Amino acid sequence: MAFQAGKMRGKIVASATVQKGVTRRSGLLYLGGGGLVAAATPADVWAANKQATGHKLAAPALVGKARPAAPLIMLDPGHGGKDPGAIGYTGTYEKHVAEAAAQELRRQLLATGRYRVAMTRAGDHFVPLDGRVELAQQHGASLFISMHADALHSPQVRGASVYTHSHGASDSQTADLAKTENSADRYGGPMVHSASPEVQQILASLVTEETRKGSAHMAQAVVSAFNSRVLLLPHPHRHAAFAVLKSAQIPSVLVEMGFMSNRMDEAALRQAGHRAMVAGAMRDAVNRYFASAGVGLAG
């Protein structure tokens, strides 16, 4: 709303009124009769308007606000480089399946327009376990998802499952799986040193309760999303002391999409269509996690 211009000589006006054939424009200093003297500052205009109207003016409203940054999802394709991971009956390397599935999940997450996505590796190279966690921390990730298709002693066992970090294992099968995963740094040679069990326990104690709850919440979202589309192990949410899930501040899960030790799981994971279905379920789980966690999303 424009304010009426003052009529006294030397007044500063902020309106766009017309007097004596002169158009008065906001923020200009006029002499009586319409002669322009000099440009006024915004503070001058505000003070003149306050004097002319006789009351205090409200501060101008902000035109817009910067949109919050979209949450960053760190995807971690298991193994890589000289670490092939599990090898299936037909020679399928877990490292290739994990990367292909992670790339598909990345594509689907970005297509939503809600997230930023980074990967611990986007090629066939070795990354130490600690390095994967550090990358997530350096990027300020909101969620860490490690993707695998490992092997078990029994070739009859098949189906997907999801794991969170804890001091002890939920069952002997998961304990063996965690032991195998935590030994991956042996491929890094003498330059890569894994933390001792004592140090691992100390690091695990630093994981906050909020992070534990977030990890469990994401695990349940994965189970729910997989339930109608992907075959699951009995009691599919399990836990053990996985080194790659030890971030103190970032909710983290490890998803076993199936097992290379099972012929049917290996055959399914070799198919791009099946990997796309698995990725679609995981995308839905991520959406559900952030929606129920009350995290602001872009878009």
Side-chain angles (χ1 to χ4, degrees):
M1 177 178 179
F3 294 103
Q4 181 62 43
K7 295 182 180 180
M8 295 178 63
R9 184 179 182 83
K11 282 290 185 182
I12 301 171
V13 296
S15 62
T17 60
V18 178
Q19 293 183 4
K20 297 184 180 180
V22 177
T23 300
R24 299 172 182 263
R25 296 179 180 175
S26 178
L28 298 178
L29 177 61
Y30 288 90
L31 291 175
L36 175 62
V37 175
T41 66
D44 293 332
V45 174
W46 186 88
N49 281 334
K50 178 180 178 182
Q51 181 179 354
T53 58
H55 65 273
K56 184 177 180 180
L57 297 179
L62 294 177
V63 175
K65 295 182 180 179
R67 298 175 67 183
L72 186 138
I73 315 300
M74 178 63 72
L75 302 182
D76 173 45
H79 310 283
K82 48 194 161 184
D83 174 12
I87 302 175
Y89 280 100
T90 65
T92 308
Y93 283 7
E94 178 189 359
K95 65 176 182 177
H96 296 320
V97 167
E99 184 184 355
Q103 290 284 11
E104 174 61 20
L105 178 54
R106 175 182 179 274
R107 184 190 69 78
Q108 293 195 28
L109 288 172
L110 290 176
T112 68
R114 299 179 177 183
Y115 312 104
R116 295 172 294 142
V117 182
M119 299 178 67
T120 56
R121 67 177 182 91
D124 187 14
H125 57 270
F126 176 79
V127 182
L129 297 175
D130 284 348
R132 297 169 188 262
V133 179
E134 288 172 5
L135 281 170
Q137 293 171 335
Q138 290 169 6
H139 280 75
S142 299
L143 183 64
F144 179 90
I145 303 174
S146 194
M147 301 175 67
H148 292 259
D150 283 296
L152 298 173
H153 295 303
S154 173
Q156 284 74 41
V157 178
R158 67 174 302 220
S161 48
V162 58
Y163 301 83
T164 50
H165 191 281
S166 73
H167 293 291
S170 54
D171 55 89
S172 59
Q173 179 178 290
T174 302
D176 290 342
L177 189 62
K179 184 177 180 180
T180 299
E181 280 301 315
N182 291 348
S183 67
D185 281 348
R186 70 185 186 277
Y187 290 96
M191 297 301 293
V192 177
H193 300 283
S194 298
S196 67
E198 292 78 16
V199 172
Q200 290 284 1
Q201 187 169 1
I202 293 172
L203 292 172
S205 68
L206 299 177
V207 178
T208 67
E209 184 62 24
E210 182 179 2
T211 301
R212 293 182 192 280
K213 289 180 178 178
S215 299
H217 184 60
M218 179 59 191
Q220 289 302 323
V222 172
V223 170
S224 296
F226 276 8
N227 198 38
S228 61
R229 287 176 273 185
V230 182
L231 179 67
L232 289 164
L233 290 182
H235 310 293
H237 176 195
R238 306 185 180 197
H239 53 82
F242 289 92
V244 78
L245 302 180
K246 67 184 181 183
S247 173
Q249 302 296 334
I250 305 170
S252 305
V253 297
L254 186 150
V255 177
E256 290 286 355
M257 299 173 287
F259 294 102
M260 289 290 102
S261 48
N262 180 271
R263 289 180 182 271
M264 297 180 71
D265 273 358
E266 180 201 15
L269 289 167
R270 286 172 59 91
Q271 303 300 315
H274 181 78
R275 293 195 301 271
M277 181 177 64
V278 170
M282 293 178 66
R283 174 206 62 213
D284 292 348
V286 171
N287 287 342
R288 186 176 305 176
Y289 169 79
F290 282 103
S292 58
V295 179
L297 298 178

